[in-house]
Amino acid sequence: TLVQAVSAELQQYSDDLTILANERDARDFARETLLSSSGASIDATQTRLLGDFTSLLQQNPDYLVARYVTFNGSVWTEVSNFDGSTPRVNRNIQPGALTSDPTLEESLANAPGQVATSDITFQLNPYAPILDRLVPYIRFSAPVAPDSSFDANVAGVIQLDVKAGPLIDLIAERANEQAARLNGRRILVANAEGRILYDTANPELDVLRELALRQSPLITDAYPAAAALL
């Protein structure tokens, strides 16, 4: 079914992130960030973590960015792959770059093994032509615990930004399949805010463009009768 297919896809993203966040490379790097900002030890653990990030992105072309974020919102180790070919490594510290990120705040309050997920959001691809720079993605964020020698339960988080387009395509495919099984059936899919992500009666709607322009219709406005049944 539509729900099962989408849930399975989201679970796969979460599982990939959870495995990464719980591995020794991530935990060792988290420990080092609490001890020092430079030196041979942190450089070695960062290199290992960058290798894990790079490998994950190479194996999954829908994964845009993997990054480690400290508890105060500084990005510290990041690999991006916007063009789906060669991952780009960034070892530099980006102070306070994600201080206001809601998934960071949620993750810091979570226990290791839990994953926070954003709605569909947009970020700029600095390597693309101007008209193609807005990239829709969903952010997954999981806490990383240092070893037991620290009082802190969570040192930072690992985030995974995943392309939203393939998920929207999956929603459209499965919704159309289910709608076609019964004459006259119509399926509406909306996000948590009630904004329409897909409507089998209006398959030409460019959902991602509408979301980027903040013009995506609310189900309560476009279909008040249907919304009243929810």
Side-chain angles (χ1 to χ4, degrees):
T1 67
L2 167 63
V3 172
Q4 289 173 331
V6 173
S7 295
E9 195 73 7
L10 293 173
Q11 188 61 53
Q12 183 62 61
Y13 303 152
S14 295
D15 289 347
D16 285 347
L17 176 60
T18 301
I19 291 171
L20 193 62
N22 288 337
E23 285 182 345
R24 174 54 58 185
D25 290 349
R27 299 186 67 184
D28 284 351
F29 182 71
R31 179 181 186 277
E32 291 298 326
T33 63
L34 298 176
L35 296 173
S36 174
S37 61
S38 63
S41 183
I42 194 169
D43 288 348
T45 56
Q46 184 183 40
T47 296
R48 284 160 42 204
L49 186 59
L50 284 168
D52 294 341
F53 287 174
T54 300
S55 177
L56 182 66
L57 267 59
Q58 286 175 329
Q59 295 174 40
N60 299 276
D62 290 342
Y63 293 178
L64 295 169
V65 183
R67 66 174 67 85
Y68 181 88
V69 189
T70 64
F71 63 88
N72 59 4
S74 296
V75 176
W76 195 344
T77 300
E78 183 177 71
V79 177
S80 61
N81 193 14
F82 287 99
D83 60 7
S85 59
T86 305
R88 300 170 187 262
V89 172
N90 186 351
R91 289 177 169 268
N92 298 327
I93 300 175
Q94 303 168 55
L98 290 175
T99 302
S100 59
D101 179 52
T103 61
L104 170 64
E105 183 178 352
E106 184 177 348
S107 283
L108 291 174
N110 283 344
Q114 295 180 309
V115 176
T117 307
S118 76
D119 206 336
I120 294 175
T121 316
F122 294 82
Q123 63 178 300
L124 289 176
N125 174 3
Y127 310 108
I130 291 177
L131 295 178
D132 299 322
R133 283 192 175 177
L134 272 185
V135 180
Y137 71 95
I138 301 172
R139 176 166 293 164
F140 297 81
S141 186
V144 180
D147 60 46
S148 58
S149 63
F150 289 87
D151 293 334
N153 291 326
V154 175
V157 307
I158 288 180
Q159 294 185 337
L160 185 63
D161 293 351
V162 181
K163 291 180 183 177
L167 186 66
I168 293 296
D169 291 343
L170 175 63
I171 289 172
E173 177 187 347
R174 294 307 174 91
N176 287 333
E177 288 176 356
Q178 280 189 229
R181 293 175 190 154
L182 185 64
N183 187 37
R185 174 183 284 178
R186 176 186 186 182
I187 295 178
L188 287 166
V189 180
N191 65 9
E193 295 179 346
R195 296 198 175 276
I196 295 173
L197 298 180
Y198 191 71
D199 179 0
T200 54
N202 186 17
E204 301 304 316
L205 178 66
D206 190 341
V207 170
L208 295 177
R209 181 179 183 277
E210 296 295 308
L211 287 172
L213 296 173
R214 301 183 184 279
Q215 296 176 353
S216 179
L218 286 165
I219 193 170
T220 51
D221 295 337
Y223 309 103
L229 300 176
L230 300 178

